[in-house]
Amino acid sequence: MPGAKKKQSKADNYSTDPSSNNGGANRGPPQRFDGASERPSSSAGPGQASGSRSRRPSDAPAAQSTTAASRPASAAGPGDSSQAPLTDPARDPAKKKDQKFILNRRVEWGGNAFNYESGDARQDPCLWSSAFSNHTSFLLDPAEYWWLSVGDYPFAPVLFLNTLVFSNTPHKSTLPYTSFTPLGIMLNPKDPFAAGDPSAETIRIPIEHATLMDGTPVQPERQVIIDTNPFRYQMPKELMRRPGYGSVGEKVRLKLNSHILEGSVEKTVYQYAVLIGSGSEKRGLIKALWHSKQVLEKLPGGMRDWLFDGNALAWSVRQVSEIHITVDLDAEHGRAARDNKPDIFQVVIKPAAKINLSNIYEYLQGRSSFGPHVITAINFLDHLIREWPSNNHVNIKRSYFNRDTGDKYPLSGGIEAMRGVYQSIRLAEGKKMIVNIDVSHTTFWNVTGFASIINHLTGHMDLETLQYQWRDQRGKTNFKFAAMRRLRANFFNVKHKNQKNQAEASKKEWKVASIIPQSAHEFKFIEYDKETKKDGAEISVFDYYKKTYDIHLNYAHLPVVATTKNISTPDPRNPEIRIKSPIVFPMELCLMRPSQRYPYKLNELQTANMIKFAVQQPHARLQGINKGLDMLAWDEDPFLKQYGLRIHREQIQTAARILPPPRLQFGGQGPGAVVAPGTSGRWDLKGKKFLHGNTAPLISWGVMIIQAHTYSGRTLQIPQAQAFITAFVDAYKNHGGTVKNTTPIIQVQPHADLPKAIEMLLMSVGNKHNLRPQMFMFILPDKNADIYLRIKKSCDCRWGVYSQCVQGQQAVKVSPQYISNVLMKFNAKLGGTTNRIVPQGSGHFSSSTMIIGADVSHSAPNNPAPSYAAMTVSQDKYAARYAAGVQTNGRRVEMITTRNLNDMLTPLFREWIMHVNGGSLPDHVYYFRDGVSEAQFVNVLKTEVADMKEIFAKLGETRKGFSVKFTVVVAEKRHHIRFFPQGKGADKGGNPLPGTIVDRDVTHPFDNDFYLCAHRAIQGTARPVHYTVLLDEINVSVDTFQKLLYEQCYQYIRSTTPVSLHPAVYYAHLASNRAKAHENISETERRARDWAEPTGSSSARDPEEPKPLILMNNVDKIQGGMWFV
């Protein structure tokens, strides 16, 4: 257990103090008016200024209000001596009815604006236009605006907190009112909202001495963006209510994994703010202080009367005034205080809010709106049902795990999966509260030695080799060392055969601060002689263990582990000075403590193993849920009893419906052209032609066999590839494809550098046919993700050629079913369509209709990779084919930025208008959005939908007053509701039949939502999709919409089964996954990023905006095709 200060001064670099991250402590996420956190777009729209966003400083000085009416009337701008004083309508009763100000200011001043740089003002000549020579109206909201004074002049523009009306059109700032541009406020004197003219004249107003109404000075380095989107404020502030319930379909009964919560809701609960220490203490210390004897003695009623969220909030039925408690942990544990640093902390409990649980009942009865009073009550109940299981099991968010009773499964790489139970409280249709219960799975580190873990983690077969390979030939650490750093922040024991007290050593916990890139031979420290109580000689970790414990370290060339514990040692550079140094241990003596979560993304093998473990048939999942109920032990929960609440153990039963399945239209005229799958949820392509084959005969194409580079892969031989291609071409012709070149060029990878090999294939194919290649096929030796990404990057971005990858092991089999499955994607990329639903009645849609899908995918929390926004737009009249756009969208930013929406959708909209609807805008748009939480529903309307409406307005300027009507739907798969049908509603495996829909009992009390199981589960328990309709401007009937949504799931172009999710969203998900191949980074950078540590949010570690994706080569217009399937 050496206290280590290595001799080299570089030891100072191993600090893990988060405060060393300069500038990060006070930096917060940028804010929107509506509370959503989002990064700014790098360019501004019409009437917008571009720049950074920031919050109002918390220490901004406050002053008395100065209204415009109190300003001198003579204080006019240059060239205008007749300006009448501005009046505050909120204070002038005569103005309240007609709240318009006519600003008749004539400005003809070639004056100076000010540009601030490094705190110094410099003159910047700026010609002001005669912006206000005409009457310009500003409609003021008297409850929500701020005056802006510019120098000594009550200048014309008025900035509002929530509403700015320019030319009688309402607008809203996208930023807080405290943000201003360095050059002043940017306003457009024309009417860009009607014309959509980005080149309209702009004026700039200097803000050298600008102040707000409350006297707060304007920060000159900040910026204001005046949002010019007129649709932003036409969006509803609340979601639409459920117009009714569906009635179409066969009625069936099924059980749901939810339970009714009932009991008294008349109690009053008091919420308290808890401050422990300085507020920066870690959760483990906070928990220890809260459960200390001193706190227990001072809390009225003891711990059973109090709930604590483990951070900053507490609740109790007891009303108390402010409590101050001093906790001495040294006295608590009977130990002597450390020199100059006793473990004494202050615990302060302050009254914060009064919670009436009856607010929930009032809301469910429809007598109260949903607001903070309901949210705080639900939040309390959520913590209430979590308190008891959290005390008895390992708690991860809303899931609970027990290592002694839970099922475990090794996943490889030094980690294991564990099965537990999930529970959450929610309000439901039928004026009730329910608790959703499901099985839960997560990953933990194996309880084994660190050396064994890193051996598996890096993919090595033996430690003897690994200990010499975590550095390259230049002595720099590589990705294997980065993998070892994943041990950081975990707890461990130190165990070896010569410990004096094995039992005591097994209880002693250490925490990993860092992995130091020095071996036990290299890392040296000053040994402390306990007998003489003096510092001794310098010694290495290896020699220390040999001398002290008679242990010969077997893997002494592995890096050493630094702990969070420090000791005082002499500074090797100046022995007169003592410094703090970490205690270090050899890696091979460290043993991982149990029940520590593995927070990283799983690799392909681990993911496959996790799926095997997590997939359960419905009867097995029910057994797991019942086992979880035993873990939760509601009947024994003292906290539920104290508050008079009871959760029924019986599952809720509901009346579901099975929607009628559609018929499918394929190509040709024979009896097989129309298929009726019924409730089987599947069909095959045998003897069927695609609805549409490739749009141009296949002539210029080639095949490359990728060489195997791993022991698991096998390179296909040329004769095997020829046999596969022959069968592939024959099958394509049988399915309706047109192939003029039946013997394409087949090459074994001609160059070790894959991009160079693809270039050589392109030249060979193009020169042979004197035609740009239409398609490349790659036969892969294994499922290597890096190879796949390199292929797609070269084909999509460099050459603009469609590509199709196939697995070599499947190609050898020449399976007709596999070939047909690949051909669906192959044909779609070449412009074809697999099938469509047979329309009932007059057609697919009652009016010209476009379908848009969107998805934003995020990397793991520890990974600094950007978020990817993908959007799809239907490209035919029955919405079977789609085009897609994709772009980086900041880091962990869920709302798609205005710039991305414009860049991705404008060209796709134009394609639809010209080629699908004869040059006209659509009458109706269905917008399906994936991956949005309930808290962001309104933001989807106010940002994304408003931006799309503005794009349509710009594209349809000739149709004044026309506005495309939207139906906006959020699709959610990350939920825990499951169906367990009884009798005729179940398939052979116990899963619900395709088309099963539930719109009662577990849905929202008032919102327009439902659960739809459109697919047939191949394995495990089917997961329905939760759809919530946010907005419906065309008033589609409930039955019509549910039926249309279900039938569209049969048009997924690369499947012979209906899919669980609407295809528009499914395609967006595929496109966002492909975005990784379009990143503008090297493989080395990507690999380093994938091994990143979970040291907080990625945006905090890398504040810069991620690079845009590499643009696709669109020379053959592949971007308008289905390149992503």
Side-chain angles (χ1 to χ4, degrees):
M1 187 176 68
K5 170 65 185 176
K6 64 175 184 175
K7 187 173 183 179
Q8 291 82 351
S9 61
K10 291 181 180 179
D12 297 337
N13 295 331
Y14 302 129
S15 170
T16 58
D17 184 0
S19 64
S20 63
N21 184 10
N22 294 336
N26 298 321
R27 185 173 298 150
Q31 300 293 305
R32 279 188 178 268
F33 257 76
D34 47 25
S37 174
E38 179 173 346
R39 290 189 172 276
S41 173
S42 59
S43 68
Q48 292 181 325
S50 62
S52 61
R53 305 176 180 181
S54 56
R55 294 176 174 175
R56 168 194 286 226
S58 60
D59 56 351
Q64 293 182 347
S65 299
T66 304
T67 67
S70 66
R71 299 177 184 134
S74 61
D80 185 1
S81 60
S82 60
Q83 173 65 31
L86 301 180
T87 307
D88 182 353
R91 294 170 171 79
D92 187 352
K95 293 285 185 179
K96 285 189 175 181
K97 186 175 181 180
D98 182 10
Q99 299 167 358
K100 287 186 179 180
F101 288 156
I102 304 303
L103 306 178
N104 189 13
R105 174 184 300 280
R106 186 171 182 80
V107 183
E108 296 176 349
W109 177 48
N112 294 317
F114 289 88
N115 181 21
Y116 289 82
E117 181 171 328
S118 302
D120 297 323
R122 65 180 184 181
Q123 290 187 335
D124 177 24
C126 171
L127 180 63
W128 290 40
S129 69
S130 55
F132 303 104
S133 58
N134 298 320
H135 293 310
T136 304
S137 300
F138 287 87
L139 178 62
L140 308 184
D141 182 342
E144 299 177 321
Y145 76 91
W146 293 79
W147 288 95
L148 180 70
S149 69
V150 183
D152 296 327
Y153 308 117
F155 218 82
V158 181
L159 183 68
F160 300 84
L161 179 59
N162 268 350
T163 305
L164 171 64
V165 176
F166 188 61
S167 296
N168 298 326
T169 306
H171 300 77
K172 178 177 177 181
S173 173
T174 59
L175 297 176
Y177 58 85
T178 49
S179 299
F180 296 90
T181 179
L183 287 178
I185 302 176
M186 307 287 289
L187 286 178
N188 199 318
K190 292 186 179 181
D191 189 357
F193 320 121
D197 182 7
S199 62
E201 187 180 8
T202 300
I203 65 168
R204 291 182 290 181
I205 300 172
I207 59 165
E208 180 189 11
H209 304 296
T211 59
L212 295 179
M213 180 178 172
D214 66 355
T216 303
V218 171
Q219 299 293 322
E221 70 275 9
R222 300 186 178 182
Q223 163 206 357
V224 67
I225 293 180
I226 307 289
D227 193 338
T228 63
N229 186 337
F231 300 98
R232 195 87 66 204
Y233 298 92
Q234 298 173 14
M235 293 294 102
K237 296 181 180 179
E238 295 181 351
L239 306 184
M240 69 173 293
R241 291 294 181 101
R242 181 182 289 111
Y245 298 93
S247 59
V248 172
E250 181 183 4
K251 292 181 173 57
V252 294
R253 299 290 296 178
L254 52 81
K255 289 184 176 181
L256 303 165
N257 58 334
S258 296
H259 305 255
I260 294 176
L261 170 65
E262 64 178 11
S264 172
V265 292
E266 299 301 325
K267 284 197 173 184
T268 298
V269 179
Y270 299 94
Q271 181 173 299
Y272 297 89
V274 179
L275 177 63
I276 295 181
S278 64
S280 61
E281 281 69 21
K282 296 183 179 179
R283 283 187 174 269
L285 178 58
I286 291 174
K287 183 178 179 180
L289 292 167
W290 179 259
H291 289 94
S292 65
K293 293 178 182 178
Q294 292 98 314
V295 171
L296 180 61
E297 292 170 355
K298 294 288 182 70
L299 283 181
M303 283 296 176
R304 286 296 170 89
D305 279 1
W306 291 78
L307 301 180
F308 182 50
D309 72 346
N311 186 26
L313 290 178
W315 298 266
S316 178
V317 291
R318 296 179 179 270
Q319 184 177 14
V320 299
S321 57
E322 187 170 317
I323 302 174
H324 289 256
I325 307 171
T326 300
V327 180
D328 187 340
L329 287 182
D330 292 324
E332 178 99 2
H333 297 287
R335 66 193 180 204
R338 290 179 292 176
D339 295 339
N340 302 322
K341 195 175 181 181
D343 274 349
I344 298 177
F345 301 88
Q346 293 295 321
V347 177
V348 181
I349 303 171
K350 296 182 178 181
K354 180 180 178 180
I355 302 173
N356 293 315
L357 297 183
S358 59
N359 289 334
I360 298 176
Y361 179 76
E362 293 296 313
Y363 169 70
L364 290 174
Q365 296 297 319
R367 296 195 289 263
S368 171
S369 61
F370 190 82
H373 61 295
V374 180
I375 294 173
T376 54
I378 296 173
N379 188 40
F380 164 72
L381 289 179
D382 180 59
H383 281 87
L384 177 67
I385 67 171
R386 292 163 63 178
E387 186 73 13
W388 176 246
S390 297
N391 293 339
N392 300 313
H393 309 291
V394 177
N395 175 217
I396 298 176
K397 296 183 179 179
R398 289 182 171 84
S399 296
Y400 308 91
F401 302 89
N402 191 308
R403 184 165 190 84
D404 297 328
T405 61
D407 298 331
K408 296 180 286 293
Y409 187 80
L411 298 184
S412 81
I415 62 174
E416 64 183 5
M418 190 182 301
R419 184 175 291 125
V421 62
Y422 165 92
Q423 74 166 356
S424 77
I425 190 171
R426 55 194 304 153
L427 307 184
E429 187 274 341
K431 303 178 181 180
K432 57 181 176 286
M433 291 183 288
I434 64 173
V435 178
N436 180 209
I437 303 296
D438 196 16
V439 295
S440 181
H441 304 87
T442 195
T443 52
F444 292 89
W445 290 98
N446 281 339
V447 182
T448 186
F450 277 11
S452 176
I453 289 174
I454 65 166
N455 190 37
H456 290 291
L457 201 60
T458 57
H460 269 270
M461 303 303 293
D462 63 274
L463 287 167
E464 188 63 38
T465 304
L466 176 61
Q467 67 173 332
Y468 297 105
Q469 293 190 357
W470 53 272
R471 286 187 283 210
D472 59 24
Q473 295 178 350
R474 295 172 298 173
K476 294 186 176 181
T477 59
N478 54 30
F479 76 95
K480 295 172 184 174
F481 178 77
M484 298 178 191
R485 294 179 64 187
R486 291 191 170 184
L487 296 172
R488 184 181 174 274
N490 286 294
F491 291 92
F492 66 96
N493 303 123
V494 176
K495 191 173 183 180
H496 55 80
K497 61 181 180 179
N498 293 333
Q499 285 172 320
K500 295 180 180 178
N501 191 332
Q502 294 279 354
E504 188 67 27
S506 64
K507 296 179 182 178
K508 177 67 175 177
E509 267 189 3
W510 302 90
K511 186 177 182 180
V512 180
S514 64
I515 306 297
I516 297 179
Q518 284 188 300
S519 69
H521 285 296
E522 297 165 333
F523 196 97
K524 297 181 179 181
F525 61 96
I526 305 297
E527 185 179 14
Y528 180 72
D529 191 329
K530 294 182 180 179
E531 294 183 1
T532 63
K533 296 184 179 182
K534 293 182 179 180
D535 295 321
E538 188 176 67
I539 189 172
S540 69
V541 173
F542 178 86
D543 292 335
Y544 174 83
Y545 275 88
K546 180 66 176 175
K547 172 185 173 182
T548 307
Y549 299 106
D550 193 25
I551 292 176
H552 178 84
L553 297 176
N554 296 317
Y555 307 108
H557 293 281
L558 289 174
V560 294
V561 178
T563 70
T564 55
K565 299 289 185 181
N566 295 318
I567 60 172
S568 176
T569 64
D571 186 342
R573 294 165 295 185
N574 186 353
E576 300 296 325
I577 300 175
R578 301 191 70 83
I579 57 175
K580 295 288 186 181
S581 299
I583 296 175
V584 302
F585 293 99
M587 189 172 289
E588 64 184 272
L589 302 184
C590 301
L591 180 69
M592 183 72 72
R593 293 281 297 172
S595 302
Q596 296 190 88
R597 189 185 180 197
Y598 179 80
Y600 300 91
K601 183 179 179 180
L602 304 180
N603 62 32
E604 293 179 6
L605 176 60
Q606 292 166 343
T607 300
N609 288 334
M610 185 67 167
I611 292 173
K612 290 178 184 177
F613 176 61
V615 166
Q616 292 179 294
Q617 290 299 108
H619 69 278
R621 196 178 193 95
L622 269 176
Q623 291 177 356
I625 290 173
N626 289 330
K627 187 175 180 180
L629 292 177
D630 294 336
M631 287 177 59
L632 296 173
W634 289 329
D635 292 339
E636 302 173 16
D637 191 329
F639 299 98
L640 288 177
K641 291 178 181 178
Q642 182 178 7
Y643 286 87
L645 299 176
R646 174 174 173 264
I647 305 175
H648 291 222
R649 190 177 175 96
E650 300 78 23
Q651 290 183 329
I652 293 174
Q653 292 197 31
T654 191
R657 293 173 290 119
I658 302 176
L659 300 178
R663 294 183 302 152
L664 305 179
Q665 178 70 58
F666 286 85
Q669 302 297 325
V674 177
V675 175
T679 57
S680 67
R682 64 185 64 208
W683 57 94
D684 62 55
L685 295 177
K686 188 175 181 180
K688 297 180 180 63
K689 293 186 180 296
F690 295 137
L691 179 67
H692 300 298
N694 46 327
T695 54
L698 184 58
I699 300 172
S700 182
W701 64 304
V703 180
M704 181 183 293
I705 303 170
I706 303 299
Q707 295 187 19
H709 297 285
T710 64
Y711 68 90
S712 60
R714 188 180 68 175
T715 304
L716 204 70
Q717 301 301 309
I718 291 284
Q720 294 173 313
Q722 290 172 334
F724 174 75
I725 293 301
T726 299
F728 188 86
V729 169
D730 290 343
Y732 194 21
K733 290 180 177 179
N734 292 335
H735 286 313
T738 304
V739 184
K740 285 192 175 181
N741 174 20
T742 59
T743 56
I745 292 176
I746 300 177
Q747 296 180 350
V748 176
Q749 184 176 342
H751 197 281
D753 180 37
L754 186 53
K756 180 64 176 176
I758 294 173
E759 180 182 359
M760 294 169 68
L761 177 64
L762 179 132
M763 298 302 294
S764 298
V765 173
N767 290 335
K768 178 179 179 180
H769 301 286
N770 197 26
L771 181 69
R772 273 188 57 84
Q774 299 165 275
M775 174 72 75
F776 287 153
M777 178 180 286
F778 297 90
I779 302 178
L780 308 180
D782 52 31
K783 296 182 179 180
N784 187 302
D786 289 337
I787 291 177
Y788 179 84
L789 293 177
R790 292 174 70 190
I791 289 172
K792 295 301 181 182
K793 189 171 191 175
S794 288
C795 293
D796 294 349
C797 303
R798 188 178 183 191
W799 304 115
V801 178
Y802 289 118
S803 57
Q804 181 62 57
C805 295
V806 297
Q807 287 296 316
Q809 59 182 0
Q810 295 291 342
V812 171
K813 299 176 184 177
V814 196
S815 165
Q817 182 177 350
Y818 177 77
I819 289 175
S820 291
N821 288 340
V822 173
L823 277 171
M824 286 188 286
K825 297 189 285 184
F826 193 87
N827 183 59
K829 291 170 184 174
L830 294 176
T833 305
T834 304
N835 61 266
R836 65 175 172 87
I837 58 175
V838 176
Q840 299 183 17
S842 60
H844 287 80
F845 306 105
S846 59
S847 59
S848 62
T849 302
M850 174 191 291
I851 296 183
I852 304 172
D855 180 38
V856 178
S857 60
H858 307 289
S859 60
N862 55 287
N863 194 319
S867 298
Y868 306 107
M871 304 199 74
T872 60
V873 176
S874 59
Q875 293 297 313
D876 55 34
K877 62 183 179 181
Y878 37 79
R881 287 186 57 81
Y882 285 78
V886 64
Q887 189 52 268
T888 56
N889 198 64
R891 288 186 171 84
R892 308 203 70 76
V893 176
E894 185 57 48
M895 293 296 105
I896 303 175
T897 65
T898 299
R899 181 178 183 179
N900 279 343
L901 282 161
N902 277 280
D903 291 348
M904 291 189 287
L905 290 184
T906 301
L908 299 182
F909 284 177
R910 287 197 177 109
E911 284 291 314
W912 190 95
I913 291 169
M914 295 302 298
H915 297 102
V916 179
N917 209 39
S920 299
L921 295 178
D923 296 317
H924 186 205
V925 168
Y926 284 102
Y927 179 42
F928 290 94
R929 182 62 158 89
D930 184 29
V932 179
S933 66
E934 291 184 23
Q936 297 171 311
F937 283 176
V938 173
N939 288 345
V940 170
L941 300 177
K942 294 168 71 175
T943 57
E944 296 175 3
V945 177
D947 286 339
M948 284 187 278
K949 281 179 172 282
E950 187 178 35
I951 295 172
F952 279 122
K954 292 176 181 178
L955 293 175
E957 292 179 22
T958 57
R959 299 178 64 181
K960 297 297 183 184
F962 175 79
S963 178
V964 178
K965 296 187 181 299
F966 271 71
T967 298
V968 183
V969 187
V970 169
E972 182 187 8
K973 292 193 72 175
R974 295 184 178 179
H975 62 81
H976 286 268
I977 296 294
R978 299 292 184 272
F979 299 167
F980 297 95
Q982 311 294 312
K984 63 180 181 179
D987 64 14
K988 294 180 180 178
N991 273 302
L993 295 173
T996 301
I997 191 167
V998 170
D999 53 11
R1000 297 177 184 268
D1001 292 314
V1002 291
T1003 51
H1004 193 275
F1006 305 109
D1007 292 350
N1008 187 14
D1009 69 327
F1010 57 88
Y1011 292 86
L1012 172 63
C1013 184
H1015 68 299
R1016 185 163 193 162
I1018 299 174
Q1019 57 179 352
T1021 304
R1023 174 168 53 185
V1025 177
H1026 184 206
Y1027 291 99
T1028 303
V1029 183
L1030 309 186
L1031 175 70
D1032 183 18
E1033 296 178 326
I1034 204 171
N1035 296 321
V1036 183
S1037 72
V1038 173
D1039 285 326
T1040 299
F1041 174 69
Q1042 291 178 351
K1043 190 168 177 289
L1044 180 145
L1045 176 58
Y1046 173 49
E1047 290 179 348
Q1048 288 275 310
C1049 294
Y1050 282 75
Q1051 290 190 165
Y1052 188 59
I1053 210 162
R1054 64 178 209 174
S1055 175
T1056 56
T1057 63
V1059 289
S1060 61
L1061 191 62
H1062 190 280
V1065 178
Y1066 216 133
Y1067 294 139
H1069 183 66
L1070 295 179
S1072 67
N1073 285 343
R1074 178 70 70 82
K1076 298 173 185 176
H1078 298 178
E1079 279 192 280
N1080 191 14
I1081 61 173
S1082 66
E1083 288 184 53
T1084 303
E1085 290 175 308
R1086 180 184 288 111
R1087 178 175 289 183
R1089 187 183 66 193
D1090 290 345
W1091 286 107
E1093 292 183 87
T1095 54
S1097 68
S1098 57
S1099 59
R1101 294 195 310 275
D1102 191 353
E1104 294 184 0
E1105 283 292 308
K1107 298 177 184 178
L1109 298 177
I1110 301 173
L1111 294 177
M1112 293 179 64
N1113 185 331
N1114 204 32
V1115 63
D1116 284 338
K1117 298 185 177 181
I1118 69 166
Q1119 195 167 5
M1122 301 193 71
W1123 50 272
F1124 46 87
V1125 297

